[in-house]
Amino acid sequence: MSISNLIVHEIQKHEGERKAILIARPNENPVDGQAEALSAQVTNLFNRSGMNTGRFVNPQGSEEGAQLPALLFKNFKNDTFVDFAGFTKDCAAEFLKYLEPVEEAEGGLLWFNHYELHDTHFLYIVMLKRKKGIGLGADLSLSQIEQIEMEKLHMSLRINLTAWQAGDEGRYISFRFGRAPKFESEYFTQFIGCDEPKVAAKETRKLVDLTAAFCQSEGFPSKQANEFKKVVSEHCQAKAQDREPLAIKDIASQVESRFSIEQANKFLEIADSDSFKMEKEIFVEKAALKKLTRLSGSSRALTISFDSELLAESIVFNADSGTLTIKDLPKSLLKQLQAMSN
């Protein structure tokens, strides 16, 4: 990662108040060892799961709505910011407009970082918070100090500037809210001006449904369908573990290697259909993958969950009567039932 520009501004606002004050740094922060270390920490926290993705409603900006895309269009030329300090000050002022009406929200430090990675330009906009800490002076005396909280990110945004400038139709915006409450995530999304932000869990659920639809369209028997779903699940788990996006074409490659190129094309056709309209790349949410390999359901008085590979083996479903027959009960459950029957 090569940092091109970096600056931090402060927005002062206390919870319960509607007045906010922008304290703008006049010049860029130096790109030194401390800045690089902080940037690395921010990147590590940002790349964790739970990512949201999207694109600008109006990539070139407009007079109405969010002004971030318009400010980018005006200031980012030929892979360079004309006036990075001025651009970020205008962005911070816009951020303040969305923050100020929310009484519950507090201010913080706005971190702007323009960097280049593999010939691709990115922009971070991150809300950092201060926290109290204990410092040790040169005379070994203890004192209370303020430091940047780096255990978690509150709100953060990363824009693939190269993709945005090229008019890419993909989701060139990634953002996350950490544990920010709903009112904060709402005003932050409005500030970004993002079109239909997608939570990773929602995209993963669509992939789960797509996989099931493909198996059904090909008439796979239960065992074959379950084996394929397990392969998809393992591939997704690996991507989630590495904190990398999953390319839908990679799943199609799995189809081709196990079945045929015709069926791989069929998978992509279903993925691109009106029923799914899958993105080319998605971030995987591990919890949402469970439905690939497990079947579950619950009511107020009953909860059932089991591996889908048990269906048609130790668990039999009768579609006509809508009943399940379960064989090979867990020993602990069997003992409880036997004790109750005595």
Side-chain angles (χ1 to χ4, degrees):
M1 180 194 298
S2 175
I3 300 176
S4 302
N5 309 94
L6 188 150
I7 197 169
V8 181
H9 300 300
E10 181 175 9
I11 293 180
Q12 293 183 345
K13 181 181 180 299
H14 298 290
E15 183 179 352
E17 297 180 357
R18 296 181 68 92
K19 181 64 177 177
I21 300 173
L22 171 62
I23 302 177
R25 180 182 170 91
N27 303 311
E28 296 181 32
N29 290 76
V31 180
D32 52 19
Q34 291 182 338
E36 291 176 344
L38 181 56
S39 180
Q41 287 181 278
V42 168
T43 300
N44 181 57
L45 289 171
F46 188 86
N47 286 335
R48 293 180 179 178
S49 61
M51 194 86 66
N52 300 269
T53 61
R55 60 175 71 87
F56 291 129
V57 174
N58 188 339
Q60 296 184 359
S62 62
E63 293 182 1
E64 298 180 356
Q67 293 302 299
L68 177 57
L71 289 171
L72 279 171
F73 187 75
K74 176 183 177 182
N75 289 276
F76 188 67
K77 308 288 184 182
N78 301 318
D79 295 336
T80 303
F81 280 95
V82 178
D83 177 9
F84 190 72
F87 159 74
T88 60
K89 183 179 178 180
D90 290 341
C91 283
E94 282 298 316
F95 184 87
L96 186 146
K97 291 179 182 179
Y98 289 94
L99 169 71
E100 206 165 33
V102 185
E103 291 188 9
E104 303 96 324
E106 295 180 341
L109 304 172
L110 274 182
W111 157 281
F112 294 84
N113 179 10
H114 166 220
Y115 68 93
E116 183 179 357
L117 181 65
H118 304 313
D119 297 324
T120 302
H121 289 260
F122 296 89
L123 174 68
Y124 269 131
I125 302 178
V126 181
M127 170 67 85
L128 299 172
K129 300 282 188 177
R130 284 194 174 99
K131 70 173 185 178
K132 300 292 184 180
I134 301 296
L136 190 64
D139 60 351
L140 302 183
S141 61
L142 299 175
S143 61
Q144 192 173 72
I145 61 172
E146 279 195 340
Q147 59 193 74
I148 298 175
E149 183 180 24
M150 290 307 300
E151 290 79 11
K152 60 184 178 180
L153 290 184
H154 293 269
M155 293 179 291
S156 48
L157 159 71
R158 182 178 63 198
I159 304 171
N160 184 327
L161 296 172
T162 302
W164 159 74
Q165 199 167 55
D168 195 320
E169 295 183 357
R171 296 184 177 275
Y172 45 79
I173 298 174
S174 301
F175 56 102
R176 54 180 294 124
F177 305 124
R179 296 182 179 179
K182 184 177 180 181
F183 64 80
E184 288 196 348
S185 62
E186 287 179 346
Y187 83 71
F188 191 61
T189 304
Q190 292 169 359
F191 160 72
I192 297 170
C194 193
D195 183 21
E196 300 178 6
K198 298 293 183 182
V199 180
K202 184 176 181 180
E203 292 293 327
T204 305
R205 286 194 292 269
K206 285 174 63 177
L207 176 62
V208 169
D209 294 340
L210 165 62
T211 305
F214 169 72
C215 291
Q216 185 176 7
S217 71
E218 298 305 293
F220 291 161
S222 295
K223 185 176 181 179
Q224 190 177 26
N226 289 333
E227 289 175 351
F228 177 63
K229 290 177 182 178
K230 187 176 181 181
V231 169
V232 174
S233 178
E234 290 174 349
H235 191 72
C236 290
Q237 292 279 4
K239 287 294 184 181
Q241 184 67 31
D242 294 337
R243 300 171 184 171
E244 295 179 351
L246 169 76
I248 299 302
K249 66 179 182 180
D250 288 346
I251 302 299
S253 296
Q254 296 287 336
V255 175
E256 182 177 346
S257 64
R258 283 164 174 75
F259 305 109
S260 68
I261 189 172
E262 290 79 16
Q263 286 171 301
N265 291 333
K266 181 64 176 297
F267 179 86
L268 292 174
E269 181 182 326
I270 297 174
D272 197 42
S273 67
D274 290 338
S275 299
F276 294 98
K277 292 184 177 178
M278 293 292 300
E279 297 294 329
K280 295 178 181 179
E281 289 186 346
I282 67 170
F283 284 94
V284 174
E285 176 62 51
K286 288 184 178 181
L289 281 175
K290 291 182 179 179
K291 288 188 177 181
L292 265 178
T293 55
R294 291 190 68 81
L295 297 171
S296 62
S298 63
S299 63
R300 188 171 183 178
L302 176 67
T303 297
I304 297 177
S305 178
F306 57 90
D307 287 343
S308 56
E309 62 186 17
L310 298 178
L311 199 61
E313 300 213 2
S314 60
I315 298 179
V316 180
F317 174 62
N318 187 314
D320 295 331
S321 61
T323 58
L324 281 178
T325 301
I326 304 175
K327 307 174 185 178
D328 301 327
L329 291 174
K331 291 183 179 180
S332 58
L333 176 60
L334 184 59
K335 287 182 179 180
Q336 292 179 61
L337 293 172
Q338 289 172 337
M340 293 177 64
S341 64
N342 293 333

